[in-house]
Amino acid sequence: MFPIQPYPKRILLLFALIFLSLTACKTTTEITKEEYLEDTDWRIEKIITDSGKIIDFEKYHFKPIIAYKDSFIHYVIPLSKKESIDNPNGVIEDSVNINDVHSLYVKKFSALATTGCLLGGAVGAIAVIVATKESCPFIYSFDGKQYIFDGEPYGGAICEALKRTDYSLLEHLKQTNGKYKILLSNQVDETQYTDELKLLVVDHEKNTAVVPDYNDNFLTLENSLLPIRASDQKGDDILKFLEKDDLFLWKSDFDYPLERQTWRDSIYLTFPKPVNATSVKFVFDVGTTLWGSQMLKRTSELRGNKVKEWYSSLNNPMIKSQLEAWNLREEVYKLKVNVKVGERWITKGIILGGGPFITEKRVITLNISDVKGENLDIMLTPPIGFWTFNYFAVDYSKQRQIYITELNPNAVKSSNDKEITELLSSVDSRYYIEPVKGQQVNLEFKAPETRKGFDRTLFAKTTGYYDIHLDKSVPANFAILNKIAFEPGYIVKYSNLQYLNWKKEIASTQNLGKL
C-alpha cells in the first residue's frame, strides 16, 4: 500500500485532467509526482511530503519561484515586509527531493476556454474542463471578491429514480451587502436536473460545529476525539493520513496487478470510549476517487440501447432494492462501517461516496451499547481504487441548540436570462435543467440577521439528478453486465482493466504528439 512505502506510487487521479482557469477561480487540483515529472509546467500551489509536511505557497503575499532540477523541486519565496519580521533575509529558499513527495496540488492556466459570470458588479471567471470527471454539478461561493469552487451535490444520482437531496458546506461563502451569492454550473458532458436549491443558514452555539448526517439532521460536535491508532491490512501505521482534516489523503495504490489475492484494502481505527457510552457520533471526510466517478459512466455505457429501460426499471422498488444490495456487497459507492463487538465485526452504519473533487464531512450515529471496554474499534474494507480517506473522529457530546433557516433564492438568473426562482423553491419534479457544458445559473439569497452569541455555518441544500451523455445506439453488453451483477468483486477487476487500457491510450496519444 503506497502510504507506507518510502517511494509511494499514488493512485493516478488526474492523469488526463485538463484544468483551464482564470486567476479569479481558486480551484486547485491534485496530481502525482509522476505526472509532474512528465510536465513540469504545472504551477505548484502546495507540496505535501511523505512525513505529512505541507508547504503552502498560496499563503504568501508574493508568488514563489519554483524550478525542478536533478531530482529536487527548488523554490524561492520573496517575503513581504510583514512576513519578513521573523526572517531578516527577506526570502525563504529551500528544496524538496522528488522522492520524498507524497502529492502535489497545482494549477495550470490556459486561455482556451473561459466562462465569465457577472453578478452584482463582481466578475468571477470560472472554467473547468475535466476529461475524467463524470458526476454532478459544481457549486461556487462568492466570498466578496470572487467565486470559489465549494461543492459537488448528489454524486451518483445518474437517473431520476436515484434522485436525492445533498448538503454542501459552503465554507467560502461570505455575506455581501446583505446577500449571499452562489453559482450552479454544469462543467461535465451530462444533463443536470436540479429540483430544489436552497441556502441553509445554521446558527449554532459557539465552540461547536455542525455536520449533517444522511437523514437530513444536523448534529453538533463539541469534543471530537481523533483515532489513537490507525492501520491497514498489513498492520502498517496510517494514522498520519487520517488524523487531520487536510490534503494528506490515504488512497489505494491503483497500479496493481490483475492477478491478486484480494481486491480490497482494510482500515482499522481505534478510538477512546467512555465505559458507559451507548452511542457515538462517527465523523468522517471520505469520498469517491475521480476514477470511481468515471466508472459510473463506463458501466452505464455497457447498457447501450437498453440504458433507458434500466433507468426506468429502478422505479420498481424490488429492482431498486437489488441495486442497493449490490452496492452493499461491492462497496464501490457505499461503504459499510463495521464495529468490533467482542470478537465479531458487526455492520453499524453506511458511508456514501461523494466528490470526487470536493468531499464533505459527514456524521452517522452508531449504537455501541453492546461494545464493552474503553476502546471503540472500527473496520472499513474499501474496494481498491474507489475511495479516498481524509479524516476520522468520534464525538460523545450531547446535541446542542441550533437554529436552521431555509432560504429560497430571491433573485435567480440563468445563462439565458430566464427567471427560475419558482423551479428551485421546492421538490416537485419541476426541474431547472442544464443540458449544456458551461451552462450556469446565478443565485442571490437575502441574509438573515445573526443571532447574538451564536456562530453561523452555511450549506447548500440541493435535490436533483443527472443524465450522463452516452452512446445509446450500441447493443447492451450483457456478458459483462451479468458478471458485474453476479460475480462478487468483478466490478473492481473490470475497473482495473479499464484503467490500464485507458492509461495505455493516454500514453499512446502522448507519444504520437511527440512525433
Side-chain angles (χ1 to χ4, degrees), residues 53 55 65 67 72-77 92-96:
K53 179 182 178 182
I55 305 167
I65 301 169
F72 281 86
I73 300 175
H74 304 272
Y75 59 89
V76 178
I77 308 172
I92 297 174
E93 186 172 0
D94 208 342
S95 59
V96 179

PDB file of all heavy atoms in Angstrom, residues 53 55 65 67 72-77 92-96:
ATOM      1  N   LYS A  53       4.435  16.916   6.024  1.00  0.00           N
ATOM      2  CA  LYS A  53       4.719  18.352   5.985  1.00  0.00           C
ATOM      3  C   LYS A  53       4.032  18.981   4.775  1.00  0.00           C
ATOM      4  O   LYS A  53       4.103  18.459   3.663  1.00  0.00           O
ATOM      5  CB  LYS A  53       6.232  18.586   5.902  1.00  0.00           C
ATOM      6  CG  LYS A  53       6.619  20.064   5.834  1.00  0.00           C
ATOM      7  CD  LYS A  53       8.128  20.219   5.700  1.00  0.00           C
ATOM      8  CE  LYS A  53       8.526  21.693   5.585  1.00  0.00           C
ATOM      9  NZ  LYS A  53       9.988  21.841   5.418  1.00  0.00           N
ATOM     10  N   ILE A  55       3.862  22.300   2.458  1.00  0.00           N
ATOM     11  CA  ILE A  55       4.480  23.561   2.030  1.00  0.00           C
ATOM     12  C   ILE A  55       3.445  24.286   1.187  1.00  0.00           C
ATOM     13  O   ILE A  55       3.165  23.895   0.052  1.00  0.00           O
ATOM     14  CB  ILE A  55       5.770  23.305   1.229  1.00  0.00           C
ATOM     15  CG1 ILE A  55       6.735  22.443   2.047  1.00  0.00           C
ATOM     16  CG2 ILE A  55       6.435  24.623   0.833  1.00  0.00           C
ATOM     17  CD1 ILE A  55       7.885  21.877   1.234  1.00  0.00           C
ATOM     18  N   ILE A  65       9.252  31.422  -6.792  1.00  0.00           N
ATOM     19  CA  ILE A  65       9.981  30.989  -7.988  1.00  0.00           C
ATOM     20  C   ILE A  65      10.307  29.514  -7.770  1.00  0.00           C
ATOM     21  O   ILE A  65      10.988  29.149  -6.805  1.00  0.00           O
ATOM     22  CB  ILE A  65      11.279  31.802  -8.173  1.00  0.00           C
ATOM     23  CG1 ILE A  65      10.951  33.290  -8.295  1.00  0.00           C
ATOM     24  CG2 ILE A  65      12.050  31.316  -9.398  1.00  0.00           C
ATOM     25  CD1 ILE A  65      12.172  34.190  -8.202  1.00  0.00           C
ATOM     26  N   ALA A  67      11.563  25.744  -9.503  1.00  0.00           N
ATOM     27  CA  ALA A  67      12.238  25.082 -10.631  1.00  0.00           C
ATOM     28  C   ALA A  67      12.581  23.658 -10.229  1.00  0.00           C
ATOM     29  O   ALA A  67      12.909  23.388  -9.066  1.00  0.00           O
ATOM     30  CB  ALA A  67      13.493  25.843 -11.032  1.00  0.00           C
ATOM     31  N   PHE A  72      15.269  17.444  -7.565  1.00  0.00           N
ATOM     32  CA  PHE A  72      14.816  18.335  -6.496  1.00  0.00           C
ATOM     33  C   PHE A  72      13.884  19.415  -7.046  1.00  0.00           C
ATOM     34  O   PHE A  72      14.100  19.943  -8.146  1.00  0.00           O
ATOM     35  CB  PHE A  72      16.006  19.012  -5.804  1.00  0.00           C
ATOM     36  CG  PHE A  72      16.716  18.130  -4.815  1.00  0.00           C
ATOM     37  CD1 PHE A  72      17.715  17.265  -5.237  1.00  0.00           C
ATOM     38  CD2 PHE A  72      16.378  18.178  -3.467  1.00  0.00           C
ATOM     39  CE1 PHE A  72      18.381  16.444  -4.332  1.00  0.00           C
ATOM     40  CE2 PHE A  72      17.032  17.363  -2.550  1.00  0.00           C
ATOM     41  CZ  PHE A  72      18.039  16.498  -2.974  1.00  0.00           C
ATOM     42  N   ILE A  73      12.828  19.710  -6.284  1.00  0.00           N
ATOM     43  CA  ILE A  73      11.992  20.883  -6.553  1.00  0.00           C
ATOM     44  C   ILE A  73      12.571  22.021  -5.716  1.00  0.00           C
ATOM     45  O   ILE A  73      12.493  22.010  -4.482  1.00  0.00           O
ATOM     46  CB  ILE A  73      10.521  20.631  -6.169  1.00  0.00           C
ATOM     47  CG1 ILE A  73       9.948  19.464  -6.971  1.00  0.00           C
ATOM     48  CG2 ILE A  73       9.697  21.889  -6.405  1.00  0.00           C
ATOM     49  CD1 ILE A  73       8.534  19.076  -6.568  1.00  0.00           C
ATOM     50  N   HIS A  74      13.179  22.978  -6.368  1.00  0.00           N
ATOM     51  CA  HIS A  74      13.793  24.122  -5.698  1.00  0.00           C
ATOM     52  C   HIS A  74      12.791  25.280  -5.683  1.00  0.00           C
ATOM     53  O   HIS A  74      12.103  25.525  -6.681  1.00  0.00           O
ATOM     54  CB  HIS A  74      15.069  24.552  -6.424  1.00  0.00           C
ATOM     55  CG  HIS A  74      16.085  23.466  -6.571  1.00  0.00           C
ATOM     56  ND1 HIS A  74      17.038  23.200  -5.627  1.00  0.00           N
ATOM     57  CD2 HIS A  74      16.271  22.556  -7.573  1.00  0.00           C
ATOM     58  CE1 HIS A  74      17.787  22.179  -6.019  1.00  0.00           C
ATOM     59  NE2 HIS A  74      17.347  21.764  -7.206  1.00  0.00           N
ATOM     60  N   TYR A  75      12.742  26.006  -4.570  1.00  0.00           N
ATOM     61  CA  TYR A  75      11.831  27.150  -4.530  1.00  0.00           C
ATOM     62  C   TYR A  75      12.428  28.308  -3.731  1.00  0.00           C
ATOM     63  O   TYR A  75      13.184  28.117  -2.777  1.00  0.00           O
ATOM     64  CB  TYR A  75      10.468  26.765  -3.950  1.00  0.00           C
ATOM     65  CG  TYR A  75      10.480  26.206  -2.539  1.00  0.00           C
ATOM     66  CD1 TYR A  75      10.373  27.052  -1.435  1.00  0.00           C
ATOM     67  CD2 TYR A  75      10.582  24.837  -2.320  1.00  0.00           C
ATOM     68  CE1 TYR A  75      10.351  26.546  -0.146  1.00  0.00           C
ATOM     69  CE2 TYR A  75      10.572  24.320  -1.027  1.00  0.00           C
ATOM     70  CZ  TYR A  75      10.456  25.175   0.054  1.00  0.00           C
ATOM     71  OH  TYR A  75      10.447  24.686   1.331  1.00  0.00           O
ATOM     72  N   VAL A  76      12.080  29.512  -4.193  1.00  0.00           N
ATOM     73  CA  VAL A  76      12.451  30.749  -3.514  1.00  0.00           C
ATOM     74  C   VAL A  76      11.180  31.566  -3.344  1.00  0.00           C
ATOM     75  O   VAL A  76      10.466  31.832  -4.317  1.00  0.00           O
ATOM     76  CB  VAL A  76      13.491  31.556  -4.323  1.00  0.00           C
ATOM     77  CG1 VAL A  76      13.812  32.872  -3.596  1.00  0.00           C
ATOM     78  CG2 VAL A  76      14.753  30.739  -4.536  1.00  0.00           C
ATOM     79  N   ILE A  77      10.881  31.956  -2.093  1.00  0.00           N
ATOM     80  CA  ILE A  77       9.667  32.723  -1.805  1.00  0.00           C
ATOM     81  C   ILE A  77      10.067  34.120  -1.334  1.00  0.00           C
ATOM     82  O   ILE A  77      10.602  34.274  -0.224  1.00  0.00           O
ATOM     83  CB  ILE A  77       8.812  32.049  -0.720  1.00  0.00           C
ATOM     84  CG1 ILE A  77       8.542  30.584  -1.064  1.00  0.00           C
ATOM     85  CG2 ILE A  77       7.500  32.805  -0.530  1.00  0.00           C
ATOM     86  CD1 ILE A  77       7.871  29.798   0.054  1.00  0.00           C
ATOM     87  N   ILE A  92      12.504  32.987   1.637  1.00  0.00           N
ATOM     88  CA  ILE A  92      12.622  31.595   2.067  1.00  0.00           C
ATOM     89  C   ILE A  92      13.138  30.811   0.875  1.00  0.00           C
ATOM     90  O   ILE A  92      12.542  30.846  -0.201  1.00  0.00           O
ATOM     91  CB  ILE A  92      11.267  31.030   2.539  1.00  0.00           C
ATOM     92  CG1 ILE A  92      10.772  31.785   3.765  1.00  0.00           C
ATOM     93  CG2 ILE A  92      11.385  29.538   2.846  1.00  0.00           C
ATOM     94  CD1 ILE A  92       9.369  31.366   4.203  1.00  0.00           C
ATOM     95  N   GLU A  93      14.235  30.134   1.059  1.00  0.00           N
ATOM     96  CA  GLU A  93      14.847  29.378  -0.044  1.00  0.00           C
ATOM     97  C   GLU A  93      15.101  27.961   0.436  1.00  0.00           C
ATOM     98  O   GLU A  93      15.757  27.737   1.458  1.00  0.00           O
ATOM     99  CB  GLU A  93      16.150  30.034  -0.480  1.00  0.00           C
ATOM    100  CG  GLU A  93      16.770  29.380  -1.718  1.00  0.00           C
ATOM    101  CD  GLU A  93      17.958  30.168  -2.243  1.00  0.00           C
ATOM    102  OE1 GLU A  93      18.291  31.215  -1.644  1.00  0.00           O
ATOM    103  OE2 GLU A  93      18.537  29.731  -3.245  1.00  0.00           O
ATOM    104  N   ASP A  94      14.568  26.983  -0.290  1.00  0.00           N
ATOM    105  CA  ASP A  94      14.710  25.598   0.130  1.00  0.00           C
ATOM    106  C   ASP A  94      14.441  24.685  -1.062  1.00  0.00           C
ATOM    107  O   ASP A  94      14.167  25.159  -2.179  1.00  0.00           O
ATOM    108  CB  ASP A  94      13.741  25.276   1.268  1.00  0.00           C
ATOM    109  CG  ASP A  94      14.256  24.155   2.179  1.00  0.00           C
ATOM    110  OD1 ASP A  94      15.163  23.422   1.756  1.00  0.00           O
ATOM    111  OD2 ASP A  94      13.715  24.008   3.287  1.00  0.00           O
ATOM    112  N   SER A  95      14.517  23.386  -0.829  1.00  0.00           N
ATOM    113  CA  SER A  95      14.234  22.418  -1.895  1.00  0.00           C
ATOM    114  C   SER A  95      13.694  21.142  -1.280  1.00  0.00           C
ATOM    115  O   SER A  95      13.883  20.873  -0.091  1.00  0.00           O
ATOM    116  CB  SER A  95      15.499  22.115  -2.709  1.00  0.00           C
ATOM    117  OG  SER A  95      16.516  21.597  -1.877  1.00  0.00           O
ATOM    118  N   VAL A  96      13.006  20.345  -2.105  1.00  0.00           N
ATOM    119  CA  VAL A  96      12.410  19.087  -1.677  1.00  0.00           C
ATOM    120  C   VAL A  96      12.812  18.016  -2.682  1.00  0.00           C
ATOM    121  O   VAL A  96      12.639  18.198  -3.895  1.00  0.00           O
ATOM    122  CB  VAL A  96      10.868  19.177  -1.605  1.00  0.00           C
ATOM    123  CG1 VAL A  96      10.275  17.834  -1.182  1.00  0.00           C
ATOM    124  CG2 VAL A  96      10.436  20.272  -0.659  1.00  0.00           C
TER     125      VAL A  96
END
